[in-house]
Amino acid sequence: MGELLTIDEALARILERARPLPAELVSLDEARSRFLAQPALSAVDLPPFASSAMDGFAVRAADTPGTLPVAFRVAAGHPSTDTLPAGSAAGIATGGAVPDDADAVVPVERAVDRDTAVEIAEQAQPGAHIRPRGGDVEAGAVVVPAGVRIGAAQIGALAAAGVAEVSCARRPRVAVLATGSELRAAGETLEPGEIYESNRALIAALLAPAGADVELLPVVADDPDAHRAAIERGLSADVLVTSGGVSVGPHDLVRSVAAELGVEEVFWGVAVKPGKPLSFGVRGATLVFGLPGNPVSSLVGALLFVVPAVLALQGVADARPAYETGRARVSLRRNEGRDEFVRSRRSRDGEGTLLEPVSGQESHMIVRAASADALVHVPRGNGEIAAGDPVRYLALA
Ligand code: AMP
Ligand code: MG
């Protein structure tokens, strides 16, 4: 392993190769959690007509105060074609179309309804309780911009604006492969020297919520032919993520087999703990990540590097991990050579978030990591971060 890249350099090299995938039309039902590739434009003025914000009476403001005859009553969905005669009022429900010649609505709470007439004691202000046509958005204007992830409010906005289909980035197809002759599936009996395989499910659980369409490939033994077949298959995806076999041991075959199959290595080795021997390469448009096999190394590597790539492939403008800030609850020793991600628990005091490492920081200790809800970033250097000093962290779901 030559010079280790910094995390930022490594991420920059990944993101410059993670170009947005082609867009596809998606019905609104299927658009939830997807990323818009093109801005979605409103089909209509919204509201489509001037409508009442209250149950009450539509009037000409200049006719108030006074007792006005009720000319007719308007229900939602049944606009009146009548004009409002001067000096009269029209009963109206919330959402009802305000007659053209009315310019205010007096809420029922401010009126005395005498059936054929209404008593209005106060002067109504022009425009009061009327939602103007196009007041939310005008026809042809942007409802949701490109790059935004479609959540509940966006679904509602698109439906309200009459948008039935949106242009979304295709979901990246991600193949996940685990290597290691010692790996068994949960439910099997472990023979001496064997452990249960955990990384494929872990990686899938990180990438699927980021929008990836994940395919789990079988676990492969530390054997070149098995590696060749599985890696070749994974290279048909948009992203291939492998776990294990990227260190310097005699059974670490991923990089050499990938190279044989035409993967150009962009880098190998990042100054991060855990996760140092992470590799990244490309074959054609396929991005290839080699994550180290220790489960916490896979977790950190996938969070720092693969999730951003999956987001960038979907057109997210700034796909870099979103750090939050808090304060160290205890002092944290810095590592001289590598930035470290310390599995930590969050708590709160009057001033904000405090972070405290969990016990058990070794990279095989996935159960200890599972008791954490944050990864605190301890930049490399000498000495320590003192208790109370600011730190940044990545939240763990
Ligand atoms: P490697 O990166 O292949 O050298 O693996 C490093 C350590 O992680 C070894 O102790 C492996 O047994 C373990 N390991 C590798 N892959 C997995 C996996 N998919 N699930 C659980 N542990 C793994
Ligand atoms: Mg291995």
Side-chain angles (χ1 to χ4, degrees), residues 24-35 150 155 164-166 168 171:
E24 59 190 11
L25 277 180
V26 177
S27 74
L28 210 48
D29 304 339
E30 286 160 8
R32 181 165 54 90
S33 298
R34 301 277 300 259
F35 294 89
I150 300 174
I155 292 275
E165 279 186 329
V166 286
C168 291
R171 293 177 59 194

Side-chain angles (χ1 to χ4, degrees), residues 36-42 140-148 158 163 165-168:
L36 269 192
Q38 304 284 330
L41 308 181
S42 187
V142 174
V143 178
V144 183
V148 169
L158 293 162
V163 178
E165 279 186 329
V166 286
S167 170
C168 291

Side-chain angles (χ1 to χ4, degrees), residues 179-183 222 243-246 251-253 293:
T179 71
S181 297
E182 74 283 22
L183 303 175
D222 295 320
S243 115
V246 287
H251 304 294
D252 291 331
L253 304 170

